[in-house]
Amino acid sequence: MNAVVEEHHDHDHKPTGLGRWLFSTNHKDIGTMYLWFSFTMFFIGGALALVIRAELFQPGLQIVEPEFFNQLTTLHGLIMVFGVIMPAFVGLANWQLPMMIGAPDMALPRMNNWSFWLLPGAFGLLLASLVMSLMGMGSAPNFGWTFYAPLSTTYGPDSTDYFIFSVHLMGISSVMGAINVIATIMNLRAPGMTYMKMPIFVWTWFITAYLLIAVMPVLAGVVTMMLTDRNFGTSFFDAAGGGDPVMFQHVFWFFGHPEVYIMILPAFGIISSIVPTFSRKPLFGYSSMVYATASIAFLSFIVWAHHMFTTGMPVAGELFFMYATMLIAIPTGVKVFNWISTMWRGALTFETPMLFAIAFIFLFTMGGFTGLMLCIVPADFQYHDTYFVVAHFHYVLVTGAAFSIMAAVYFWLPKWTGNMYDEKLGKLHFWLTCISANVLFFPMHFVGLAGMPRRIPDYALQFAEFNQIATVGAFVFGFSQLIFLYVVIKCVKGGEKATDKVWEGAHGLEFDLPSPAPFHSYTTPPEVK
Amino acid sequence: MRAVTRPLGLACLLLASNPTLADYQLNLAPGVTTTSQNAYDIHQIVMWICVVIGIVVYGVMTYSILTHTKAKKHKPATFDDNLTVEILWTVIPILILIGMAIPATSSLLAMEDTSNSDMSIKVTGYQWKWHYDYVGEDVSFFSNMSTPMEQIKDKETKGENYLLEVDNTIVIPTGKKVRFLFTSNDVIHAWWVPAFGVKKDAIPGYINESWARVEEPGIYRGQCAELCGSNHGFMPIVVEAKSEEDYLAWLGEKKTAQAAANASGNKTWTMDELMSHGETAYNTSCAACHQAGGEGLPGAFPAIKGSAIAVGDIAKHIEIVVKGVEGTGMQAFGPQLNDADLAAIITYERNAWGNNTGDMVQPSDVKAAR
């Protein structure tokens, strides 16, 4: 009897035990699961990268065979893209969107549960193929994360079918997540919050969700064509049967390029939340930020073939894709200039989230510069498929996307847990991460320009020095993330109590809620003026 | 913290103790063709523009980080919009981009013009070697990496051209516009010689083109640039540019040698001849997958040592080597090798590594099975 009365008083109705997580329809619990899933995958994908870097420490084969090396690069790429960056952003969306728009939860909570719980299955399948490979039972996917046909179809290992099923599951998960985001933003905004009053993080996720809905089905289509090519005698990508291997690349990159922006637009949103907070000044050019994000999203659909300049497309095609790609520099530049103008004449302080945000602006811009260089077709012929490209996309994805996620975790962790994280350790984590990331990735520009192709397990002697330096950076980077793990666990367990506002310059509905935020966020919608 | 510093110190020691390796190339090389020179020029232009923009943008940002801080009691401003600067930083980048697009377009048009070539070489990618066919000259051959496995496995000192050396170099005449035609026999490869500025995908079912006119005699090295399977890192390209006279002499020699090799298929070989030629040919064409000791790679490539095929029916063994196995990595070697090579390889496989069947396969047997 007592228990019933007590339960009645508990407004959260929080289920307990394993069931709380398995059957959860709560945006915070699901967000937490997404983030821990992403964190786990980050360590797995990172471990694979460390084996790759260890093999590349010096010329010659010391640790792995070339066949296994290819499996490592493939799984590293797939895990980091689909298992780390994307789920982390979905986790952040789950935690933040309802709080930021003044809603009690996501609009479609049961679907939310299902879209998360598909992921462990998807990655279980993918990782099972690696485990089987380690046990000597055939090869894991070994064709690179871009899985070009016919290497992945006619010549793919048996585990390719695991891979295909896994990608289908990830795709369904992402599309459901995206539908949920759109439904939430369209329907659950607090009264008075018009579209042009939404926080930028909400805007960037809104646009990202449309990108996801547009391109994940394309990815599903291309893997389905692979499936029928491999198992049911079709020849979509088999030249011997009248198919076209280049069409694979067109379809893949029609998904792949918007995918790149799926992994960076939410990061823009995060940086646009953090920079004004620690500058104690409103975001500069709110509406131009929104329009720039929308322009980038639109342009992302018409630049896909810049990944394919060496496939021998007609000159007119090369020119079109070069010009279209150059245009992306404009809205991206606008964003960077806006962030800097936000900082300009502010009153800056440099807590860990701000440090990561500033590093993001510096280093993402580096990736932007190399991106601009890569779109220049005559020069791209020399850069294509070299370490220059590897350097480029690690600058945008690691020091870009991943840094923004770390910034976001430090920024909102006090709101989520009610405790402040350990600032000293956070700063230590930042400096180690930031310096080692550059030691790791910057030399890749040099070896790439000197002519080292990507995805090779062994290399000519002239590339040795910079590869050694990169490997040193990689290990420092990798082990520094254990500090991050420790800081997060320590903060979850306790620490100095956070205020409701958390940061002196914080703005937004999530900072009007108590810390930690109540289980059902806003049960009564706040009024936005 | 100790976990972090220890590997760092170790690595510094390793770096310092490695005086034999001292090549820190930082930038793209201009190369030896107009195409590579064009690529280099546009690369320099765009890179320096980026450097200048970078200095300005990072400079402003750094200034703000150092000056506009709460620690220095800077009072935050409240502005959040300024139409003039927003228009400026949209328009100026557009102008800069146009400035980049103009030279890029003109170089590209020059690079893609393969007309009026003096000769053509057809390049076919195979897992994991290149085949070159001098169109109209009756000269064609495979080019395999010649770096020995011992060097790769760190059992021998690595040579100067480690991983960038081949058994058969392609030779081109200087001063001539040489057109390359690219295709593939299996998966997508990419033929890349940085000094020429030529990188083109070799795609099954497609024929791509590119060209190079090399003025300086010399040896130029490159690699496959598109992931093509396990030995993607081991299919280098070596091109030697010679004066036209030397080139023609080389072409003549190559023709004679090829005719002799074809004639060798008509004689009857002894067991010793077959075994010794077989070992060489096996190591060139088969060892990449099945390994020099015939043990294969478990899970990827089957062993030949003690395999039912290599000690079983001869006709079946010949058929597999000549026609390949569809849907697997096993290529049809009939179109790639001559009768004598194939006979020697099959004999070798049936008698090496304890497969002592005593069987001998003659070139005539292979010819009959084709």
Side-chain angles (χ1 to χ4, degrees):
Chain A
M1 196 58 202
N2 250 346
V4 173
V5 174
E6 259 175 40
E7 214 177 278
H8 187 73
H9 282 288
D10 178 6
H11 288 288
D12 289 352
H13 296 294
K14 205 184 280 186
T16 52
L18 194 61
R20 169 175 172 192
W21 303 103
L22 271 178
F23 310 120
S24 176
T25 51
N26 179 276
H27 75 105
K28 294 194 179 69
D29 281 355
I30 293 172
T32 303
M33 288 195 288
Y34 264 111
L35 289 169
W36 278 113
F37 177 82
S38 160
F39 213 177
T40 312
M41 286 294 146
F42 183 53
F43 282 106
I44 295 174
L48 302 183
L50 290 188
V51 181
I52 294 171
R53 281 315 321 169
E55 176 57 55
L56 292 173
F57 183 66
Q58 57 189 50
L61 295 177
Q62 292 86 26
I63 299 174
V64 293
E65 289 297 319
E67 171 62 28
F68 190 63
F69 184 89
N70 289 342
Q71 300 169 33
L72 289 172
T73 52
T74 306
L75 287 168
H76 165 71
L78 290 169
I79 288 172
M80 289 303 192
V81 168
F82 295 104
V84 178
I85 305 287
M86 292 170 70
F89 281 139
V90 181
L92 292 171
N94 255 298
W95 258 100
Q96 291 304 124
L97 292 185
M99 293 201 284
M100 287 176 134
I101 61 174
D105 204 306
M106 296 293 276
L108 308 162
R110 287 189 184 82
M111 196 161 86
N112 206 5
N113 171 293
W114 185 221
S115 47
F116 171 76
W117 280 109
L118 281 175
L119 282 183
F123 282 88
L125 270 177
L126 195 62
L127 290 174
S129 69
L130 182 67
V131 173
M132 285 189 271
S133 168
L134 287 169
M135 289 162 58
M137 300 155 69
S139 163
N142 56 6
F143 26 66
W145 87 273
T146 54
F147 55 99
Y148 279 9
L151 188 62
S152 61
T153 51
T154 321
Y155 296 84
D158 292 343
S159 61
T160 310
D161 298 320
Y162 278 59
F163 158 82
I164 291 170
F165 189 39
S166 168
V167 169
H168 269 131
L169 292 178
M170 294 172 205
I172 296 169
S173 160
S174 290
V175 170
M176 292 200 302
I179 290 172
N180 209 346
V181 165
I182 292 172
T184 306
I185 296 174
M186 283 189 157
N187 297 302
L188 300 186
R189 276 170 297 131
M193 184 179 275
T194 57
Y195 281 108
M196 288 311 273
K197 277 188 188 162
M198 296 194 308
I200 289 284
F201 181 72
V202 178
W203 253 116
T204 52
W205 242 112
F206 193 44
I207 292 170
T208 303
Y210 278 100
L211 287 182
L212 278 166
I213 290 179
V215 301
M216 293 313 283
V218 178
L219 176 68
V222 78
V223 294
T224 307
M225 286 150 100
M226 280 173 66
L227 185 79
T228 61
D229 265 17
R230 287 173 52 80
N231 299 302
F232 306 111
T234 57
S235 303
F236 289 110
F237 308 128
D238 180 7
D244 182 349
V246 177
M247 185 175 72
F248 172 88
Q249 296 183 28
H250 280 293
V251 183
F252 175 79
W253 285 114
F254 191 82
F255 147 77
H257 202 80
E259 167 70 16
V260 171
Y261 293 96
I262 287 166
M263 293 190 285
I264 203 67
L265 295 186
F268 292 165
I270 292 165
I271 302 305
S272 305
S273 313
I274 293 176
V275 170
T277 303
F278 297 96
S279 304
R280 291 164 182 79
K281 205 167 143 271
L283 180 70
F284 186 88
Y286 171 91
S287 50
S288 72
M289 282 296 212
V290 173
Y291 298 136
T293 309
S295 319
I296 293 173
F298 168 74
L299 288 171
S300 76
F301 285 104
I302 57 163
V303 297
W304 75 90
H306 68 212
H307 297 271
M308 304 164 52
F309 284 142
T310 63
T311 55
M313 73 178 92
V315 182
E318 291 177 332
L319 289 174
F320 171 79
F321 286 106
M322 171 167 75
Y323 300 150
T325 307
M326 290 175 109
L327 290 179
I328 294 183
I330 297 163
T332 314
V334 166
K335 290 198 157 279
V336 173
F337 300 142
N338 280 340
W339 290 321
I340 296 175
S341 306
T342 306
M343 286 160 62
W344 189 255
R345 291 177 53 207
L348 304 180
T349 52
F350 304 98
E351 289 86 345
T352 311
M354 184 60 166
L355 288 176
F356 271 106
I358 290 173
F360 172 98
I361 303 175
F362 269 102
L363 300 174
F364 172 78
T365 306
M366 270 299 304
F369 286 141
T370 48
L372 181 61
M373 294 169 74
L374 280 159
C375 85
I376 306 291
V377 187
D380 177 75
F381 290 152
Q382 294 287 47
Y383 310 143
H384 181 78
D385 267 338
T386 68
Y387 263 82
F388 190 76
V389 177
V390 179
H392 160 72
F393 67 69
H394 281 97
Y395 264 87
V396 290
L397 285 178
V398 178
T399 62
F403 271 29
S404 80
I405 292 164
M406 292 174 191
V409 170
Y410 282 112
F411 186 52
W412 284 309
L413 201 54
K415 177 55 64 184
W416 302 340
T417 62
N419 307 319
M420 292 307 284
Y421 59 86
D422 185 328
E423 188 66 52
K424 257 202 188 123
L425 283 178
K427 282 188 171 145
L428 176 71
H429 169 234
F430 166 76
W431 285 109
L432 282 171
T433 302
C434 183
I435 294 168
S436 61
N438 283 287
V439 175
L440 163 56
F441 298 122
F442 208 82
M444 291 184 182
H445 292 115
F446 302 138
V447 281
L449 291 175
M452 180 170 164
R454 65 192 280 207
R455 293 169 167 165
I456 56 174
D458 192 6
Y459 48 83
L461 302 180
Q462 69 262 34
F463 308 127
E465 292 78 10
F466 286 128
N467 272 294
Q468 290 197 339
I469 297 171
T471 300
V472 174
F475 277 84
V476 179
F477 183 90
F479 285 98
S480 303
Q481 303 321 309
L482 294 173
I483 305 175
F484 186 30
L485 179 65
Y486 176 74
V487 174
V488 172
I489 292 174
K490 197 175 161 200
C491 180
V492 172
K493 294 214 154 171
E496 190 196 329
K497 292 290 154 226
T499 60
D500 292 353
K501 215 178 163 200
V502 183
W503 310 106
E504 188 192 19
H507 280 286
L509 291 178
E510 77 265 42
F511 293 109
D512 294 345
L513 286 170
S515 299
F519 201 53
H520 295 296
S521 300
Y522 280 99
T523 38
T524 353
E527 191 81 30
V528 177
K529 283 169 206 94
Chain B
M1 199 51 206
R2 261 179 57 203
V4 176
T5 49
R6 201 183 296 154
L8 192 71
L10 190 74
C12 291
L13 271 178
L14 272 164
L15 286 177
S17 65
N18 215 343
T20 46
L21 310 167
D23 187 349
Y24 289 93
Q25 187 186 334
L26 297 176
N27 199 0
L28 206 60
V32 296
T33 62
T34 47
T35 304
S36 63
Q37 184 70 47
N38 277 336
Y40 175 77
D41 292 342
I42 192 83
H43 160 77
Q44 290 293 89
I45 295 172
V46 179
M47 186 178 70
W48 284 110
I49 292 177
C50 288
V51 168
V52 172
I53 299 174
I55 289 172
V56 174
V57 172
Y58 293 157
V60 172
M61 198 169 145
T62 308
Y63 176 82
S64 180
I65 290 170
L66 295 177
T67 331
H68 303 146
T69 63
K70 199 186 168 198
K72 293 193 176 169
K73 306 253 177 341
H74 193 274
K75 274 253 168 333
T78 50
F79 64 86
D80 64 357
D81 216 353
N82 186 324
L83 193 62
T84 323
V85 298
E86 297 209 40
I87 289 174
L88 272 181
W89 67 45
T90 310
V91 173
I92 296 173
I94 291 177
L95 297 177
I96 297 175
L97 289 174
I98 292 172
M100 289 177 185
I102 292 168
T105 305
S106 62
S107 329
L108 183 65
L109 293 177
M111 289 164 114
E112 294 285 9
D113 178 12
T114 52
S115 60
N116 299 319
S117 60
D118 298 306
M119 59 179 281
S120 297
I121 299 174
K122 185 177 161 211
V123 181
T124 310
Y126 283 75
Q127 283 179 324
W128 293 277
K129 60 204 160 199
W130 295 99
H131 180 260
Y132 298 102
D133 184 1
Y134 285 68
V135 177
E137 295 287 0
D138 239 4
V139 168
S140 67
F141 54 86
F142 279 93
S143 178
N144 293 279
M145 183 178 77
S146 61
T147 302
M149 210 53 202
E150 287 72 28
Q151 288 189 16
I152 295 172
K153 293 282 184 190
D154 288 343
K155 288 179 187 133
E156 276 178 16
T157 319
K158 295 177 173 50
E160 188 193 352
N161 295 314
Y162 176 68
L163 299 186
L164 298 178
E165 51 201 347
V166 297
D167 55 356
N168 289 312
T169 306
I170 57 163
V171 177
I172 57 168
T174 49
K176 298 275 181 198
K177 185 167 185 176
V178 182
R179 183 173 65 139
F180 296 101
L181 301 167
F182 302 101
T183 187
S184 169
N185 182 60
D186 36 55
V187 299
I188 301 176
H189 304 267
W191 197 84
W192 181 32
V193 178
F196 296 174
V198 172
K199 185 186 283 149
K200 265 290 185 239
D201 290 358
I203 304 170
Y206 274 74
I207 293 184
N208 276 333
E209 307 184 285
S210 193
W211 64 280
R213 188 197 301 272
V214 182
E215 302 295 345
E216 275 299 298
I219 294 174
Y220 303 101
R221 297 170 198 276
Q223 279 179 274
C224 177
E226 179 64 61
L227 178 64
C228 57
S230 38
N231 289 348
H232 161 58
F234 307 119
M235 50 184 294
I237 297 150
V238 183
V239 186
E240 189 171 5
K242 289 182 171 179
S243 68
E244 191 174 12
E245 202 180 315
D246 291 350
Y247 163 74
L248 288 172
W250 172 86
L251 200 65
E253 270 169 39
K254 216 56 188 174
K255 276 184 195 167
T256 324
Q258 221 151 43
N262 288 338
S264 66
N266 298 328
K267 71 164 192 170
T268 303
W269 292 47
T270 67
M271 188 67 172
D272 285 347
E273 285 173 333
L274 285 170
M275 284 300 283
S276 80
H277 184 60
E279 185 172 2
T280 322
Y282 174 88
N283 284 330
T284 308
S285 299
C286 318
C289 301
H290 295 294
Q291 307 301 311
E295 70 274 22
L297 272 183
F301 306 111
I304 297 175
K305 182 182 181 178
S307 91
I309 293 160
V311 297
D313 181 23
I314 301 185
K316 178 80 185 152
H317 189 175
I318 297 178
E319 189 190 320
I320 286 178
V321 176
V322 171
K323 297 191 173 146
V325 182
E326 207 167 331
T328 71
M330 180 63 194
Q331 307 165 4
F333 283 89
Q336 301 185 28
L337 300 172
N338 65 36
D339 295 344
D341 289 341
L342 290 167
I345 287 172
I346 296 164
T347 307
Y348 179 71
E349 287 177 347
R350 300 184 74 80
N351 293 288
W353 325 297
N355 282 1
N356 304 317
T357 57
D359 297 333
M360 244 202 295
V361 177
Q362 290 295 338
S364 52
D365 301 331
V366 175
K367 190 179 254 173
R370 276 182 191 267

